[in-house]
Amino acid sequence: MLHPRWPHAFAGSLCILITATSLWSQPASRALVRGRIDEARRVTLAGNTRPETVEGTDLGPVASDLALDHVLLQLRRSPEAENELTKLIDNLHDPTSPQFHQWLTAEEFGARFGTAQSDMDTVTAWLGSHGLQVNFVYPSQMVIDFSGNAGEIQETFHTSIHRYDVGGVSHIANAGDPEIPEALAPVVAGIVSLHDFRPHHMARPHRKPDADYSFTQNGQAVQALVPADLATIYDFNPLFAKGVAGKGQTIVVIEDTELYRASDWTTFRTTFGLSQYTNGSLSQVQPAPSGGPACFAPTVNSDDIEAILDVEWASAAAPDAAIESATCADTKTTPGIYLATQNVVNSSSAPAIVSMSYGLCEAYNGAAANAQLNSIFQQAVTEGISIFVSAGDEDAASCDAGLANATHGIGVSGYASSPYVVAVGGTDFGDVSAGTSSTYWGTTNTATYGSALSYIPEIPWNDSCANGLLARWMGYSTTYGSAGFCGSAAARSGGYLVVAGGSGGPSGCAVGAPSTYGVVSGTCQGYPKPSWQKGVEGIANDGVRDIPDVSMFASDGWAWNHFAIICFSDIRNGGAACKGSPMNWVGIGGTSLAAPMMAGIQALINQTAGSAQGNPNPVYYSLAATTPGVFHTVTQGDIDVNCGGVVSCYGYLGTPTYGRAGRVYGTTYGGVLSLSTSSLQPAYTAGASWNFATGLGSVDVNALVGAWPKK
């Protein structure tokens, strides 16, 4: 990534130059800690107890000498400094500002917007006084990495670490919200994680046993997406023909596992015609922050399907780019993707493009973890990094990932809701529902297995029985109740009682603490609506950050028989030998497919522009308001999902019972997620230029790159 500096020669007005340079010469952050630390006067860091500690079975405290390594303490700056940072970020992305694209390094960021050294000394000394070891202070001066044992953690933060049985799986977690001395409250945001509950990946393997599926064959109802189809449908080919394929660009994908076989990436590229782009490369690294140690390499785990999906489809969108898989091992309390992200953004050679395909809803993630993610993403855009995050695979109910019914109401991913990332939602193709498949797919394949003929009108990806288009296709006039699709035996037997689809909705619990675990309630609040999320029809006047920003194909093939292909040879984790025709390989979907696609598209933009671009969202929304043809607006379909209970649920059957954490127990069905419990207001439908189902829609890549501002 380039880090331009102010020129030595006078260019333009001396007044402008002096004003701009004075920004970097201001004194370091002001001290916030006042007075002595009184351990008897403490405050609670609310919103930092996982719902699973109530939902599961408490097995009692862990041994006091259980080692807890690399715990992250997230710090905070004053409201005044936060306002200064927000103003700078706006200027860095404003072409009329003298600070436009004058990106910072991690060290410059820390010196200007990090914790004052006197406060840092106070906090680290306080940790040390309780026997905790400070391992590292990140260059951002916003995060402290420390270690200790469970007894020392309890004595310091007044919360004990317990073991829990959650669904037959053993976990550790803090039993209550941590506490800190009142004097430290102005500078300490919270402990990022005192548990081993991990975010989930967004890859969704194709579930149907389609032994006879093929890419295109007369009489076959299944279409599998390959890189050649991607290039045709989304208009990459004019750019590829001009040599714009990502040359000289690096895309970092954040993972928590090593690849099962790096050779799968090579097989994917060779089979699908990408190896002609000779600058394309793949590497796996354990990133190190500037001046700090690298993390440990993780072992290969069941998330390896996510890792191979990310590197293969980032390469499909930018076949001449370098793909780098940045991985760190989990510790007992800290997810490896947190460590990898911190290390990448705080490195001495930060990349220009990052893709992340993991997530967890805001209300589950917790206030400190949300603060940590928002803070590191905020720092990233000041360095010129463009970050793409999967919006989620749970329709509008991200707190119910992997379940058969939504029980926690409307919620969004705390990874994707930060205003400093591009939240990438998911679409499906609308040809099957419209009966127009022959218009858009050829009857023969090319040498690289492509068969798409043109852009295909899109609908939101949604596998649930609450999908209005699907319900009508199945012969039901409604989605809810005993007469609706979600109340039918067909939905139950067909696997359509499922929380699966591209996610969207308003940020609701980025800060604060829910009064009902996992539900937007209590003191929960969303991130404020960013200044650039405006000017486009359909954007909600709700005062909060709304997602997704854009969407790309993400279907897993369950509802409409479209999915993507990957080479993934880990048979133990659902892979297949990548031999012979790709019709025998692994089908895949999920917004983790869409995020690396958008990261690859950004590589084409950066190659054309000749520099890093920071947060792409201001440009996206400006182009959506002024330049027709850049985005494919999605006007039909929804991301509504079946639900049980009374939280934003309409038309459910049965009488649910509740556990202390708010989860519904017993069999409930027939309900659909709704903005009202007294009438059907689906959450959410496609429609205007922007909508909660797909954001601005998908992109015409050639048009987007061509319209990107040249300055």
Side-chain angles (χ1 to χ4, degrees):
M1 184 185 71
L2 301 177
H3 294 288
R5 299 290 183 268
W6 293 109
H8 296 293
F10 287 2
S13 165
L14 177 64
C15 177
I16 291 176
L17 182 59
I18 292 174
T19 300
T21 54
S22 68
L23 178 66
W24 315 122
S25 60
Q26 291 182 31
S29 300
R30 296 173 288 275
L32 301 178
V33 177
R34 299 285 187 267
R36 68 182 185 88
I37 296 176
D38 182 353
E39 296 284 357
R41 296 173 61 87
R42 306 181 70 84
V43 296
T44 300
L45 300 173
N48 292 295
T49 303
R50 288 288 294 230
E52 294 93 339
T53 63
V54 180
E55 296 167 349
T57 301
D58 189 339
L59 303 178
V62 301
S64 61
D65 62 354
L66 177 68
L68 303 176
D69 295 330
H70 298 287
V71 183
L72 301 183
L73 188 70
Q74 179 67 43
L75 305 178
R76 72 167 105 237
R77 58 182 66 88
S78 69
E80 294 78 15
E82 194 68 33
N83 288 336
E84 290 177 13
L85 175 55
T86 300
K87 184 181 298 184
L88 172 63
I89 291 172
D90 288 343
N91 289 339
L92 288 171
H93 294 84
D94 180 359
T96 67
S97 169
Q99 289 133 355
F100 180 62
H101 284 193
Q102 299 298 314
W103 309 121
L104 305 178
T105 64
E107 288 79 5
E108 288 169 342
F109 180 90
R112 181 66 189 90
F113 296 107
T115 304
Q117 190 59 52
S118 61
D119 286 349
M120 186 67 74
D121 292 342
T122 298
V123 175
T124 56
W126 172 72
L127 292 171
S129 72
H130 289 274
L132 299 171
Q133 177 183 343
V134 174
N135 302 315
F136 186 69
V137 175
Y138 277 94
S140 66
Q141 294 290 299
M142 291 299 293
V143 178
I144 299 171
D145 180 311
F146 70 93
S147 299
N149 61 42
E152 291 163 342
I153 293 289
Q154 178 170 347
E155 193 269 334
T156 307
F157 296 101
H158 290 207
T159 184
S160 60
I161 309 299
H162 284 213
R163 293 195 184 278
Y164 295 90
D165 182 292
V166 181
V169 179
S170 178
H171 288 277
I172 64 169
N174 52 299
D177 285 336
E179 298 178 2
I180 58 171
E182 185 179 57
L184 297 179
V187 73
V188 174
I191 311 171
V192 173
S193 175
L194 282 176
H195 56 79
D196 65 358
F197 294 102
R198 305 302 185 211
H200 56 271
H201 66 71
M202 299 297 178
R204 288 190 63 87
H206 176 59
R207 297 182 293 157
K208 282 188 177 178
D210 292 308
D212 61 345
Y213 76 73
S214 63
F215 303 103
T216 278
Q217 184 175 338
N218 265 340
Q220 295 285 350
V222 175
Q223 295 291 349
L225 192 79
V226 300
D229 297 323
L230 178 78
T232 297
I233 294 166
Y234 292 114
D235 203 17
F236 286 80
N237 286 323
L239 295 169
F240 290 168
K242 293 187 294 186
V244 179
K247 181 179 180 180
Q249 308 304 309
T250 298
I251 302 168
V252 171
V253 295
I254 303 293
E255 309 293 346
D256 67 358
T257 175
E258 294 286 89
L259 296 170
Y260 178 67
R261 284 184 181 148
S263 60
D264 284 352
W265 179 84
T266 302
T267 301
F268 179 86
R269 283 174 55 89
T270 301
T271 302
F272 293 126
L274 305 179
S275 56
Q276 63 179 300
Y277 299 97
T278 56
N279 295 290
S281 63
L282 172 65
S283 59
Q284 298 183 80
V285 300
Q286 281 67 60
S290 178
C295 59
F296 293 107
T299 57
V300 175
N301 61 51
S302 60
D303 285 348
D304 60 346
I305 191 171
E306 178 63 65
I308 196 63
L309 164 63
D310 292 343
V311 300
E312 288 181 355
W313 280 89
S315 194
D320 226 13
I323 311 299
E324 186 175 286
S325 178
T327 64
C328 287
D330 293 338
T331 73
K332 285 188 176 68
T333 62
T334 304
I337 61 169
Y338 286 0
L339 298 173
T341 305
Q342 288 285 349
N343 291 358
V344 164
V345 174
N346 280 286
S347 72
S348 58
S349 56
I353 305 167
V354 170
S355 178
M356 180 184 291
S357 295
Y358 292 80
L360 190 67
C361 77
E362 292 174 332
Y364 263 64
N365 205 36
N370 287 336
Q372 184 254 174
L373 288 165
N374 190 58
S375 179
I376 194 63
F377 294 152
Q378 185 182 48
Q379 176 187 343
V381 299
T382 71
E383 298 178 27
I385 303 173
S386 304
I387 300 186
F388 299 86
V389 180
S390 301
D393 292 355
E394 308 86 32
D395 293 297
S398 284
C399 287
D400 293 294
L403 300 180
N405 267 311
T407 62
H408 290 88
I410 297 166
V412 299
S413 169
Y415 288 59
S417 62
S418 168
Y420 303 106
V421 305
V422 177
V424 187
T427 67
D428 200 341
F429 299 129
D431 57 301
V432 175
S433 61
T436 56
S437 296
S438 62
T439 301
Y440 298 107
W441 300 96
T443 58
T444 60
N445 299 317
T446 67
T448 54
Y449 299 94
S451 58
L453 302 176
S454 67
Y455 172 71
I456 305 170
E458 290 165 279
I459 57 178
W461 165 46
N462 186 359
D463 292 346
S464 169
C465 59
N467 178 344
L469 283 175
L470 182 61
R472 289 190 290 275
W473 177 268
M474 298 293 286
Y476 294 85
S477 60
T478 62
T479 56
Y480 62 88
S482 58
F485 186 30
C486 288
S488 70
R492 295 193 294 276
S493 63
Y496 296 108
L497 292 177
V498 61
V499 180
S503 292
S507 175
C509 202
V511 299
S515 54
T516 300
Y517 284 115
V519 176
V520 176
S521 56
T523 60
C524 282
Q525 295 182 50
Y527 291 117
K529 190 176 291 296
S531 59
W532 39 260
Q533 195 166 44
K534 63 182 180 181
V536 179
E537 180 189 2
I539 295 175
N541 185 25
D542 54 7
V544 298
R545 164 76 162 131
D546 296 319
I547 66 171
D549 297 302
V550 296
S551 294
M552 293 291 278
F553 177 80
S555 174
D556 61 2
W558 190 249
W560 303 110
N561 294 332
H562 307 108
F563 52 87
I565 294 293
I566 58 173
C567 173
F568 175 55
S569 60
D570 185 359
I571 296 174
R572 298 170 304 173
N573 285 318
C578 300
K579 297 180 180 179
S581 170
M583 68 180 291
N584 300 314
W585 295 7
V586 173
I588 200 76
T591 53
S592 60
L593 178 67
M597 286 180 186
M598 286 304 304
I601 293 167
Q602 191 64 40
L604 311 187
I605 292 169
N606 288 12
Q607 180 186 352
T608 304
S611 64
Q613 298 295 303
N615 188 355
N617 276 321
V619 177
Y620 289 163
Y621 283 83
S622 175
L623 290 177
T626 62
T627 311
V630 170
F631 296 96
H632 305 295
T633 301
V634 179
T635 59
Q636 296 186 69
D638 58 62
I639 56 168
D640 203 5
V641 63
N642 48 285
C643 60
V646 296
V647 182
S648 302
C649 189
Y650 178 74
Y652 70 94
L653 305 172
T655 302
T657 57
Y658 293 87
R660 287 180 296 165
R663 187 177 302 283
V664 175
Y665 294 89
T667 301
T668 60
Y669 60 93
V672 298
L673 202 65
S674 173
L675 302 179
S676 170
T677 56
S678 59
S679 63
L680 178 61
Q681 298 180 35
Y684 291 94
T685 58
S689 298
W690 186 96
N691 55 73
F692 281 117
T694 60
L696 296 170
S698 66
V699 299
D700 181 302
V701 178
N702 186 47
L704 176 64
V705 174
W708 200 266
K710 300 301 186 288
K711 182 175 178 179

